[in-house]
């Protein structure tokens, strides 16, 4: 580890909310007990990173910090008490950096609900840097055969989509609406297919619907057309579940109206402000509305396995660290396909 003691690295740092990230030379962080130092190979850029850097949340991270929570890299140094990982191994560093391990949620396999959790790229420096320190208990091994530029978004967007589909409680052969075919949505369509669901893709942009069709959606619906929910009801008898990744407030009501009785609507996208809940159909059709956050470590192993078996791909742009602000702007203005 001594070779890293006085080494420096490039990193993209949030110095002030809503301002461009600053590319800086910083000391390479050194791993403590139960930590490893990872040389970053690929780091996904997610809308969550933009929200963190813009200070969009009720609880703000402390500045300065380095965002990035979809990190793939190689272990180059070990802290004390690390036995299960070795130098040279490729790992993924996900959103969940650490949880308490003791609360009712941690004890019941729902660690993503732990109130004491630390998140990569928010409370702990993330992967928009040449090196990152990771927690041995929460990193995941990445197979050599898996493209790191595919593995990185699977750690965040893929995992969130996969978990949301599990939370929908849909069964193989059933219809699932995927609303919003962006970074999450286009991966969600592929997971849904791989899990045996029949997919109804909903968006307001034709190129995104074309992407959904290429990803395996059977029905592709332009939500700007009139009576789209009635159409889905006629064609399928109503969807068994819906996964809303869009953050347009109207997307929620449309997805809800596409459900059959007993259906479940899972919310992943977060529109600014509140969205009205149509109580009448929720009560009379016994609908369920629930949120879903990131998956657990066990979910992550499953999500990566689908990708390793070639069942999930991502549409992506590869950029250099110095282009981080351009990448953020592209996401802010919806100029990203996939
Ligand atoms: Zn906990």
């Amino acid at each position: 580890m001594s070779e890293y003691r006085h080494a420096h690295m490039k990193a993209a740092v949030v110095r002030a909310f809503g301002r461009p990230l600053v590319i800086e030379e910083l000391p390479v962080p050194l791993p403590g007990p139960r930590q490893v130092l990872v040389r970053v190979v690929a780091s996904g850029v997610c809308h969550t990173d933009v929200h963190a850097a813009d200070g969009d949340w009720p609880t703000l991270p402390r500045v300065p910090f380095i965002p990035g929570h979809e990190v793939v890299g190689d272990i180059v140094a070990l802290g004390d008490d690390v036995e299960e990982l070795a130098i040279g191994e490729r790992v993924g560093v996900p959103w969940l950096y650490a949880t308490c391990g003791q609360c009712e949620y941690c004890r019941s396999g729902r660690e993503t609900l732990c109130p004491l959790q630390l998140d990569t790229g928010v409370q702990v420096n993330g992967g928009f840097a040449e090196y990152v320190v990771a927690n041995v208990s929460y990193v995941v091994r990445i197979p050599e055969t898996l493209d790191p530029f595919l593995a990185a978004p699977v750690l965040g967007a893929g995992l969130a989509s996969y978990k949301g589909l599990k939370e929908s409680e849909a069964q193989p052969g059933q219809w699932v609406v995927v609303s919003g075919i962006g970074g999450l949505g286009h991966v969600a369509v592929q997971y849904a297919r791989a899990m045996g669901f029949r997919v109804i893709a909903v968006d307001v942009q034709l190129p995104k619907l074309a992407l959904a069709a290429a990803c395996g959606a059977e029905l592709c619906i332009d939500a700007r057309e009139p009576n789209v929910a009635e159409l889905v009801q006629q064609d399928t008898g109503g969807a068994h579940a819906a996964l809303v990744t869009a953050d347009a407030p109207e997307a929620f009501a449309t997805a809800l109206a596409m459900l059959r009785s007993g259906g479940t609507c899972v919310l992943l996208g977060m529109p600014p402000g509140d969205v009205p809940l149509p109580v009448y159909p929720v009560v009379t059709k016994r609908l369920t509305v629930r949120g879903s956050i990131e998956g657990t470590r066990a979910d992550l192993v499953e999500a990566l396995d689908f990708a390793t078996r070639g069942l999930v791909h991502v549409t992506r742009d590869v950029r250099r660290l110095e282009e981080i602000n351009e990448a953020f702007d592209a996401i802010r203005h919806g100029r990203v396909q996939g």
Side-chain angles (χ1 to χ4, degrees):
M1 205 194 318
S2 55
E3 58 188 297
Y4 294 101
R5 192 141 285 147
H6 302 291
H8 284 73
M9 67 172 187
K10 259 187 294 189
V13 183
V14 175
R15 286 271 160 201
F17 294 117
R19 302 288 307 152
L21 275 67
V22 186
I23 306 292
E24 296 182 9
E25 287 279 324
L26 295 176
V28 171
L30 297 179
R34 302 290 297 152
Q35 293 179 332
V36 289
L37 180 63
V38 174
R39 184 170 55 227
V40 176
V41 174
S43 196
V45 181
C46 167
H47 213 140
T48 303
D49 298 313
V50 178
H51 286 308
D54 284 349
D56 284 342
W57 293 324
T59 331
L60 292 176
R62 199 173 333 155
V63 287
F65 67 98
I66 303 171
H69 61 273
E70 302 179 344
V71 195
V72 174
D74 299 322
I75 296 178
V76 293
L78 307 176
D80 290 338
D81 304 321
V82 178
E83 274 158 18
E84 59 272 68
L85 292 168
I87 289 176
E89 280 194 276
R90 176 152 292 176
V91 291
V93 186
W95 168 255
L96 206 56
Y97 179 86
T99 59
C100 80
Q102 300 298 327
C103 70
E104 64 174 289
Y105 306 106
C106 285
R107 285 175 179 273
S108 58
R110 295 178 293 165
E111 61 203 17
T112 51
L113 304 181
C114 175
L116 297 176
Q117 69 183 267
L118 299 176
D119 302 319
T120 306
V122 184
Q123 293 95 353
V124 180
N125 279 335
F128 297 159
E130 290 178 287
Y131 294 90
V132 66
V133 162
N135 178 352
V136 171
S137 302
Y138 288 79
V139 300
V140 61
R141 277 200 181 80
I142 304 288
E144 290 283 326
T145 52
L146 182 58
D147 175 2
F149 293 96
L150 166 57
V154 166
L155 293 172
L159 177 58
S161 305
Y162 176 65
K163 180 66 169 184
L165 289 164
K166 284 179 82 171
E167 297 280 32
S168 81
E169 296 175 10
Q171 301 298 315
Q174 295 188 337
W175 287 103
V176 174
V177 170
V178 176
S179 169
I181 309 299
L184 286 167
H186 87 294
V187 182
V189 171
Q190 297 172 69
Y191 273 108
R193 289 276 300 170
M195 294 162 84
F197 308 150
R198 306 182 70 180
V199 178
I200 303 161
V202 180
D203 205 288
V204 292
Q205 292 182 36
L206 294 181
K208 296 194 170 178
L209 290 172
L211 176 61
C215 290
E218 277 182 69
L219 290 179
C220 295
I221 308 266
D222 183 345
R224 295 168 301 182
E225 299 288 326
N227 306 323
V228 286
E230 288 80 356
L231 212 80
V232 167
Q233 294 289 352
Q234 278 164 22
D235 284 4
T236 68
H240 299 80
L243 184 71
V244 183
T245 76
D247 55 12
E250 316 79 67
F252 168 60
T254 305
L256 212 63
M258 289 178 175
L259 291 178
R260 70 175 63 195
S261 290
T264 298
C265 181
V266 177
L267 304 181
L268 274 186
M270 280 189 274
D274 290 333
V275 173
L277 175 72
V279 176
Y280 184 79
V282 169
V283 171
T284 56
K285 295 174 77 179
R286 190 254 177 220
L287 304 178
T288 301
V289 177
R290 69 167 56 123
S292 178
I293 185 88
E294 198 59 295
T296 63
R297 287 172 284 181
D299 296 320
L300 180 53
V301 170
E302 296 169 12
L304 278 165
D305 186 57
F306 280 94
T308 306
R309 288 187 288 134
L311 297 170
V312 176
H313 301 274
V314 289
T315 306
R316 77 278 174 115
D317 259 347
V318 177
R319 299 189 191 222
R320 301 184 57 76
L321 181 63
E322 290 81 357
E323 299 170 290
I324 186 74
N325 290 308
E326 287 85 343
F328 270 37
D329 276 342
I331 288 177
R332 273 191 198 100
H333 300 115
R335 290 196 309 264
V336 181
Q337 175 83 323

